[in-house]
Amino acid sequence: MSDQGEQKSFQERIDNGETIEPKDDMPDRYRKQLIRMMSQHAHSEVVGMLPEGNWITRAPSLRRKMILLSKVQDEAGHGLYLYSATETLGASRQEVIDQLLEGKAKYSSIFNYPTLSWADVAVIGWLVDGAAIINQTMLARSSYGPYSRAMVRICKEESFHKKQGYEMVAKMADGTPEQQEMIQDAVDRWWWPTLMMFGPHDEDSPNSAELIKWGVKSKTNDELRQSFVDRHIAEAHEVGLEIPDDELEYNEETGHWEFGEIDWDEFWNVVKGNGPMNKERIKARREAHENGKWVREAAEEYARKQKLSKEKAS
Amino acid sequence: MSTATKSKELTKQEALFEYLVRLADDRLILGHRLSEWCGHGPILEEDIALANIALDYIGHAANLYEYAVEVEGEGRHRDDLVYFRNDVEYKNLKITELPRGDFGFTIARQFLFSSYSYYLYQLLSDVKDEQFRGMVEKHFKEVKYHLRHSREWVLRLGDGTEESHKRIQDAFNDIWTYIGELFHQDEVDEFLQDKNLAANTASFKSDWKDLVSDTLEEATLDVPDFDQFMVEGSRQGLHTEHLGHLLAEMQHLRRSYPDGNWQ
């Protein structure tokens, strides 16, 4: 009875547009959903360092090398920031990282695709960060305070990431024949996986309705995907790139682009761990974790000794 | 031997170009090695710190190369120096090109190089060249942070667990033979020192040794023998086998498509 009462008043607060803070009462399910979402988001930032990190040492100019390094560094910062925000819900960073390394937690499937050429770095900035911005701009209005504040901060950096990506896309599309071929090939490979980033259709998305009810999300997967498509088709056309979708058609009445169906078999396959890079991404994270074990232990032991000697001195 | 050091009458322009390129090469190559850690660090905080330091080094190198091509005055771009020189034309110290190794090796090298850079930048802050000095002053702030970061880790690893102690001690032992040439002076250095355009690294060798020894002792580590055999030849383009592989990776894309705009 009291539980139901609590939930009602929680829902009233949500409906009034109030922000929920860490110490506020919240239904268990709200807490769990947010831990799941926020830790997945944090993992995505950290795993997302790998495909782009793959090109840092080969960047074709110092300017691009510095931009890329700084972008990947930002992603590490976002991961850290999101892990901290998740901790406000009582889930420790170690706990959620262990879930990732044990293969129990998910992260954005887009990072299970390989970066095969330098143009992929440009296209990731343009499309993948472009998709992330659409999603995160919505989450910046999420009902959970620490998450929404993290998103506001992260969105600022993401818009720089997208800008540098699109700038590079435009230059390559306007470059030598080899550059043009390289950038079109990257668009062809990344377009569909990027559309998949928004998740299943609304009717197949078990969490969506609940997250919308709780004000965590304010738009459905399909709505977000549509706004991504509208925006990015315009940008592709502006630089003369083709979108690999035969069914693409502009609907004058709705003012939206209609597009083909995602290959949902591929989508679920990658989600289930059978994408081109799933195993390697987790292996890289596990190796970093295992190779770093002695370093973390040393830091702990040193801190313990320092504390002890300070206590002795006082 | 480089053309600049071989010529009988070194001009100020040649010497300054050579000197700036040497400084830049050290930082570019070490920045490259550090950037390899990105996404693979022992904790997320160190992924950020090492990427940050890598970015500082590559940024310093970019400024130095840019000034070098300006001094040279032949209309080259800084990227020409980065992507279109072969290993014998690179003048970085060998210590910077060694593979990144484990975190202990990376920290040992960072500490030795950033303590050296600390004294070097202190002297370079007085060079009689406004543009060069302005650059140094800006970079110096970051160099101080690099020293603090690596020194703290030497202490943690040295005085941490038995394993970390052994790993960082082994790292210092292995890398020691590469520190001798940090203090070599040749005609380029001497020529420029007369004009207050370069630092005499030999002049701070004993301060540097004290800082290194004190830190290692505080970290409960043995200080290897400063008088042991030391390798040399980096400033003449004599490298380890590792540099060729590093450059192959760094340069291949740009060299494969030299006509493209990659800015």
Side-chain angles (χ1 to χ4, degrees):
Chain A
M1 173 67 213
S2 76
D3 192 40
Q4 218 177 17
E6 243 176 54
Q7 292 215 7
K8 254 187 199 158
S9 68
F10 178 79
Q11 190 61 49
E12 274 165 20
R13 291 191 60 196
I14 297 282
D15 295 342
N16 290 339
E18 285 178 43
T19 305
I20 308 301
E21 292 300 333
K23 285 182 179 155
D24 295 352
D25 284 333
M26 60 185 89
D28 258 2
R29 177 91 186 141
Y30 178 85
R31 183 187 299 275
K32 276 191 191 135
Q33 283 281 37
L34 273 163
I35 290 175
R36 180 188 61 83
M37 241 181 114
M38 290 166 70
S39 60
Q40 278 182 13
H41 199 155
H43 301 328
S44 301
E45 296 283 356
V46 174
V47 177
M49 295 169 71
L50 298 170
E52 287 175 285
N54 181 37
W55 283 92
I56 292 172
T57 55
R58 292 176 287 171
S61 69
L62 277 189
R63 173 170 184 258
R64 288 293 160 193
K65 192 187 282 287
M66 290 189 278
I67 291 174
L68 180 58
L69 194 45
S70 145
K71 178 176 192 286
V72 179
Q73 189 198 3
D74 283 348
E75 280 151 15
H78 297 171
L80 199 58
Y81 202 50
L82 282 162
Y83 282 128
S84 307
T86 313
E87 286 191 323
T88 64
L89 292 160
S92 76
R93 179 163 143 196
Q94 197 47 58
E95 200 179 311
V96 297
I97 287 179
D98 285 345
Q99 286 170 358
L100 172 73
L101 300 178
E102 288 160 15
K104 289 179 192 157
K106 299 260 181 280
Y107 54 88
S108 181
S109 279
I110 193 76
F111 303 120
N112 289 320
Y113 289 85
T115 48
L116 301 178
S117 85
W118 170 256
D120 292 25
V121 172
V123 168
I124 288 178
W126 174 43
L127 295 181
V128 176
D129 289 290
I133 289 171
I134 287 185
N135 196 32
Q136 291 168 0
T137 308
M138 169 191 71
L139 292 172
R141 296 186 299 269
S142 124
S143 57
Y144 187 56
Y147 197 21
S148 111
R149 288 190 288 274
M151 286 300 112
V152 170
R153 187 163 140 177
I154 288 172
C155 273
K156 280 185 198 153
E157 290 180 349
E158 295 287 7
S159 68
F160 161 73
H161 295 171
K162 183 188 168 182
K163 206 176 137 198
Q164 64 83 32
Y166 188 58
E167 185 204 357
M168 197 169 8
V169 166
K171 275 188 188 165
M172 288 185 76
D174 191 34
T176 63
E178 289 98 336
Q179 284 180 310
Q180 289 176 354
E181 195 181 319
M182 210 186 273
I183 196 74
Q184 183 63 56
D185 165 65
V187 173
D188 291 349
R189 281 183 289 109
W190 289 91
W191 175 256
W192 288 104
T194 309
L195 292 193
M196 295 178 198
M197 283 174 73
F198 296 96
H201 281 313
D202 300 339
E203 59 271 26
D204 302 320
S205 174
N207 294 312
S208 259
E210 192 174 47
L211 292 172
I212 289 177
K213 184 185 90 178
W214 278 331
V216 177
K217 291 177 69 171
S218 50
K219 283 181 183 157
T220 68
N221 294 351
D222 286 326
E223 285 171 339
L224 292 168
R225 188 163 21 237
Q226 184 65 55
S227 58
F228 171 84
V229 168
D230 290 341
R231 187 181 302 182
H232 288 79
I233 286 180
E235 288 171 359
H237 289 164
E238 209 164 302
V239 296
L241 283 168
E242 283 177 34
I243 297 294
D245 181 351
D246 296 338
E247 295 173 48
L248 216 54
E249 203 175 340
Y250 187 69
N251 184 325
E252 298 273 354
E253 270 175 47
T254 60
H256 292 300
W257 282 90
E258 284 167 5
F259 51 96
E261 194 58 38
I262 285 170
D263 179 349
W264 294 106
D265 287 342
E266 178 181 331
F267 174 87
W268 289 112
N269 220 356
V270 182
V271 169
K272 285 175 187 148
N274 301 317
M277 296 296 282
N278 294 56
K279 288 182 182 69
E280 286 188 56
R281 297 295 184 232
I282 287 297
K283 186 166 168 259
R285 288 314 308 159
R286 276 193 198 134
E287 274 172 9
H289 193 75
E290 279 157 25
N291 294 339
K293 188 166 175 260
W294 69 272
V295 178
R296 295 189 300 275
E297 285 170 355
E300 265 174 45
E301 180 60 11
Y302 179 75
R304 194 187 63 83
K305 286 182 190 168
Q306 289 292 305
K307 199 177 154 211
L308 214 65
S309 71
K310 261 184 206 154
E311 280 168 5
K312 264 187 200 163
S314 64
Chain B
M1 263 202 162
S2 73
T3 47
T5 51
K6 216 192 290 181
S7 67
K8 276 178 195 156
E9 283 177 43
L10 204 57
T11 67
K12 181 184 152 194
Q13 185 191 28
E14 285 168 339
L16 186 56
F17 174 79
E18 177 75 14
Y19 191 70
L20 291 165
V21 168
R22 289 175 181 184
L23 288 172
D25 286 351
D26 286 343
R27 280 146 194 87
L28 174 70
I29 299 301
L30 187 53
H32 181 104
R33 285 300 185 208
L34 280 180
S35 77
E36 294 171 348
W37 277 100
C38 202
H40 308 280
I43 42 171
L44 207 42
E45 283 83 346
E46 280 312 298
D47 269 299
I48 298 174
L50 295 177
N52 187 27
I53 297 170
L55 196 53
D56 287 344
Y57 283 142
I58 295 170
H60 298 177
N63 292 154
L64 288 159
Y65 286 130
E66 203 158 294
Y67 188 38
V69 292
E70 194 185 315
V71 166
E72 185 189 44
E74 286 177 14
R76 284 207 281 180
H77 188 275
R78 67 186 186 194
D79 282 354
D80 295 330
L81 296 178
V82 175
Y83 292 95
F84 296 97
R85 279 184 304 150
N86 294 331
D87 35 6
V88 290
E89 295 165 284
Y90 263 84
K91 301 300 171 52
N92 60 286
L93 295 160
K94 283 191 260 287
I95 193 173
T96 62
E97 74 201 32
L98 302 171
R100 71 180 158 118
D102 68 1
F103 187 73
F105 187 86
T106 285
I107 289 300
R109 166 164 57 192
Q110 278 311 110
F111 174 64
L112 294 169
F113 186 80
S114 44
S115 52
Y116 161 79
S117 291
Y118 173 80
Y119 289 110
L120 175 67
Y121 272 69
Q122 227 167 23
L123 291 186
L124 290 178
S125 300
D126 288 328
V127 290
K128 278 199 172 147
D129 177 310
E130 210 174 317
Q131 197 169 338
F132 189 11
R133 196 174 60 235
M135 218 181 317
V136 166
E137 281 166 358
K138 223 176 106 214
H139 301 170
F140 194 19
K141 285 180 204 142
E142 290 160 352
V143 170
K144 286 177 191 164
Y145 160 71
H146 302 165
L147 175 57
R148 202 166 65 235
H149 170 265
S150 59
R151 188 177 176 281
E152 279 167 10
W153 272 110
V154 169
L155 297 179
R156 281 189 203 116
L157 298 181
D159 196 14
T161 63
E162 211 175 302
E163 183 183 2
S164 70
H165 179 91
K166 183 178 182 312
R167 281 180 185 252
I168 187 92
Q169 182 70 61
D170 287 349
F172 276 114
N173 295 346
D174 287 347
I175 207 170
W176 213 250
T177 188
Y178 296 96
I179 59 177
E181 61 177 357
L182 271 60
F183 302 96
H184 280 187
Q185 302 285 301
D186 67 10
E187 56 270 41
V188 172
D189 299 283
E190 284 154 13
F191 179 88
L192 291 173
Q193 280 158 27
D194 285 345
K195 298 178 166 47
N196 274 321
L197 285 171
N200 180 354
T201 56
S203 72
F204 59 74
K205 189 174 179 181
S206 103
D207 286 343
W208 176 83
K209 275 164 127 182
D210 288 346
L211 172 65
V212 169
S213 305
D214 291 350
T215 304
L216 264 62
E217 276 159 21
E218 193 183 333
T220 73
L221 293 164
D222 295 331
V223 182
D225 183 4
F226 282 108
D227 297 323
Q228 72 170 69
F229 171 76
M230 297 286 174
V231 300
E232 44 190 66
S234 293
R235 298 304 192 201
Q236 282 75 50
L238 297 171
H239 292 283
T240 68
E241 289 179 349
H242 304 294
L243 185 67
H245 294 276
L246 185 155
L247 293 180
E249 184 175 342
M250 186 172 83
Q251 297 175 332
H252 103 272
L253 174 62
R254 181 65 180 262
R255 287 193 182 199
S256 302
Y257 304 99
D259 301 329
N261 172 7
W262 296 107
Q263 296 305 311

